[in-house]
Structure formats: structure tokens, C-alpha cells
Amino acid sequence: MDLSEIRGKIDSIDDKILDLFIERMNLSLEVAKFKSANNMVVFQGDREKFIIDSVRENAPEPLKKSAAFLFMNIMDISKCAQINEISPDFKLDFTDKIKPRASVAVQGIEGAYGHAACKKLFDNGSISFFASFKEVFEAVESGDVDYGILPVENSTAGEVTANMELLERHSVYICRTVFVECAHVLAAKKGVREEDVKILFGHEQAIRQCTSYIESRGNLTVIPYHNNAAAAKMVSENESGELGCICSAECAEMHGLDIVRDSIASDPDNRTRFICISKNVEVYGGADTVAVSLSIPNISGALYRLLTKFAVNGLSMSKILSKPLPTDVKMKYPEDYMFYIEFDGSVKDPVVRRLLGNFQSELNYFKFHGNFAGHRG
């Protein structure tokens, strides 16, 4: 046979495969209706294992793994169709109103980037400053404040790991996001020259964002500080002319410091993404991103099968991060892996709610983090 004849036979086989696939999917929906009528769950692990083992056993040696993988995909697509047909919605009560004259918790002091993020989101909010991110989470969870502002990701230094872990531990929800430009400067007391600065203070994230400048200074001593604005305040109150800090131009002016070097961030477009958290679920108009954490078993193809559910439902993921499981879950399911995922969608969409409901019922660990406008920060 020449190439055109071979391709013709392949096309003929593909047509048959498509016809059989359609027939199989129609039967899968009949199965879904039967399961619904008899209060049966969609996922039945024993039957799936029996089918996959049978396929693997009957396939020729070179194709055993490929055949098993093919049928796993077909079964996953079938399960998605069944889920959309009969699965109950994810139950979620939420409000779509931002609290008027809200009280807001921010880590640090006035002039910090968190303060700037807060002002972008709340024009007339009552702001309370806290020493640690943990205290911000606790203040929101306890109801002492309405909202909390927290950095979670920087374009240069990556995620703020501590806050992503705290998000997992506390019963709070993401309701808004905002990006703040972090145009770091080197600031020092009035009259101090750049070369006079021997000791540099800044938040560990800001230090990582200014690596190129710090390395160019050679013998500069760098000391992490809990907050850039607090570092600026400390430098302004210290009599030594050898101290400098990383902060914003606005913060330097606020504390009476000179800017001895502009734009010291390694990336000129350096910016940080902040989340706004609330005690209860709040979903506002324009919410286009859903955030969840979930676990999957440590078996071959588990992540691929998870991703299939998004693909079949036409839901695009904008973020996926591997994260450590909470300690209590890890003790119960030591072999599982956890992922933090953000995907395009709205909880008002029945497809999204059914997918979330499926995660809740099928996975060992699942946590809904919120639905918010993620692409307009």
C-alpha cells in the first residue's frame, strides 16, 4: 500500500471509532440515569479497575500501557458526562455585596505595600495594622474585622509561601484581588550617599526582588525585616548614616528619608498580587476565577485524569501549584499530593458547581477558596 491508501484505511477506522464513541457515550448517559434513579455514585472504583485490568491483559505486550491509558481517558470522559447529567450542585451560600465602610486588616504599618493595596480596594475603609500575616487571618476568621489584605505572589520572587499555607489553615475566602506596582527604592537618612549605606534592611520578599542590585554592591550587609515600611521607620529613627532600607518612594517621603537610588528591583515591571479575604463567601459581579485546593492519590496518571475534568468541561486553568497537605490530612492520607488551582469560571455556572460537587464527594481533600475577578487586578 502507498501512503494515501494507508491514510485512507486510518480515516475509515477513525470514522468507526467515532461512531462507537458516540454510541458508548449515549449508553454512559443511560447508566447515569440508572445510577441517579437508584441512588448510586458515579465513580465505582472496582468496576473501573476490572475494565482497565482486562484491557491491559488482552492487549499485545507493546500496547498494554497505551491501551490502558486510552480506556482510562474514555472512562474519564464518560464520568464527566455522567457528573454533568446527575451530580448535585456544590452547595454554596454567598453574598454579592461589599460591606459599606468596611474594617480592614493589613500587615505592617502605614506606607507599606499592603496599605497601598488596601487603599486601591477600599476608599473609605477603617484600617487596622497587625504585626504578622497570621494575625490578619485570625482577625478576619474571628470576625474582628470585615476583610484582610495579604500578598500572595510577586512577579519576581514568586509566591508568598507563608500566606498560601495560612490560607489553607484558616476558614476564610478570597473575594477580591489587586496588583500593586512595587517600584523599590534605596532610602536612607537625609544627606546620606548611596556608597555610605553599608547595612540594608527590607522584607525578605523585597530583598529577593532586588537581588541584582544587592549583588552589585558587593560587601553590602543585608538584614531581613518584617516589613518594608517598618524598616523605613526604623532607619529614620536611627542616627547611623550606614543604614538603608528597601521601600517605595511614597514610604520614603512619609518617613522623611532621601531616595539615594531609584528603581533597584531586578524587574522594572515588578509587582505583587494581593488577595482580599472575608469570613464568609462573597462573590461580586465580574467574578471570573475560581480557586480550590484538592488532593489526588500518588498513582500514575492521577494528575492527568484530574486535568481531563477541566478540559472536558471547557474550563481553562490559570494557575496550578503543588502544595504540602495540611498535617491532619497528611496523617490520614500520607500518599496523597495536594494542588492549589485557579481556573476560569463562575459559581453561577451549573457546570462549575457540578465539578466542585464532584471534587467534594470524590477526593480525599477538597477546599473551596473563593470566586473572584482574577484577571482585572
Side-chain angles (χ1 to χ4, degrees), residues 54-243:
S54 177
V55 167
R56 190 181 288 112
E57 181 181 341
N58 291 320
E61 186 61 39
L63 297 176
K64 286 185 181 297
K65 291 182 180 179
S66 299
F69 184 70
L70 171 64
F71 274 78
M72 273 193 269
N73 271 272
I74 292 173
M75 295 179 74
D76 285 342
I77 294 170
S78 295
K79 281 191 293 183
C80 288
Q82 291 183 7
I83 289 165
N84 288 338
E85 180 71 20
I86 68 170
S87 282
D89 285 353
F90 177 65
K91 301 301 181 185
L92 187 67
D93 294 322
F94 62 87
T95 179
D96 58 1
K97 303 296 183 184
I98 301 173
K99 294 180 178 67
R101 291 187 289 279
S103 57
V104 190
V106 177
Q107 187 270 343
I109 64 174
E110 188 176 4
Y113 286 113
H115 184 208
C118 182
K119 289 192 293 184
K120 288 183 75 171
L121 291 177
F122 298 95
D123 291 334
N124 59 353
S126 171
I127 303 174
S128 299
F129 292 100
F130 291 82
S132 69
F133 295 129
K134 183 174 181 289
E135 289 174 303
V136 173
F137 276 96
E138 290 172 344
V140 175
E141 188 175 34
S142 66
D144 290 342
V145 296
D146 297 319
Y147 302 101
I149 305 295
L150 300 144
V152 291
E153 183 182 24
N154 176 263
S155 58
T156 302
E159 68 169 314
V160 183
T161 305
N163 283 340
M164 294 302 292
E165 292 179 356
L166 286 166
L167 183 65
E168 217 63 49
R169 295 179 201 155
H170 291 273
S171 296
V172 296
Y173 300 92
I174 304 172
C175 57
R176 302 170 82 185
T177 62
V178 65
F179 285 92
V180 172
E181 301 299 325
C182 298
H184 297 314
V185 302
L186 172 61
K189 292 181 72 67
K190 294 287 186 182
V192 173
R193 299 171 301 172
E194 180 180 6
E195 57 269 27
D196 295 331
V197 176
K198 307 298 182 186
I199 304 173
L200 179 65
F201 293 88
H203 188 272
E204 59 182 358
Q205 280 277 329
I207 291 170
R208 282 160 50 192
Q209 294 160 24
C210 300
T211 301
S212 298
Y213 172 76
I214 291 169
E215 291 176 349
S216 74
R217 288 292 307 277
N219 61 353
L220 187 66
T221 299
V222 180
I223 301 177
Y225 213 74
H226 60 274
N227 181 271
N228 289 334
K233 184 174 186 294
M234 181 272 294
V235 170
S236 71
E237 295 171 348
N238 195 294
E239 295 186 3
S240 173
E242 293 189 336
L243 305 186

Side-chain angles (χ1 to χ4, degrees), residues 167-168 172-175 291-293 340 367-372:
L167 183 65
E168 217 63 49
V172 296
Y173 300 92
I174 304 172
C175 57
V292 299
S293 289
Y340 171 86
K367 186 171 184 180
F368 172 77
H369 289 300
N371 187 193
F372 47 89

Side-chain angles (χ1 to χ4, degrees), residues 306-318:
L306 174 69
L307 300 182
T308 298
K309 295 182 179 183
F310 290 96
V312 170
N313 285 299
L315 300 171
S316 176
M317 283 195 293
S318 53

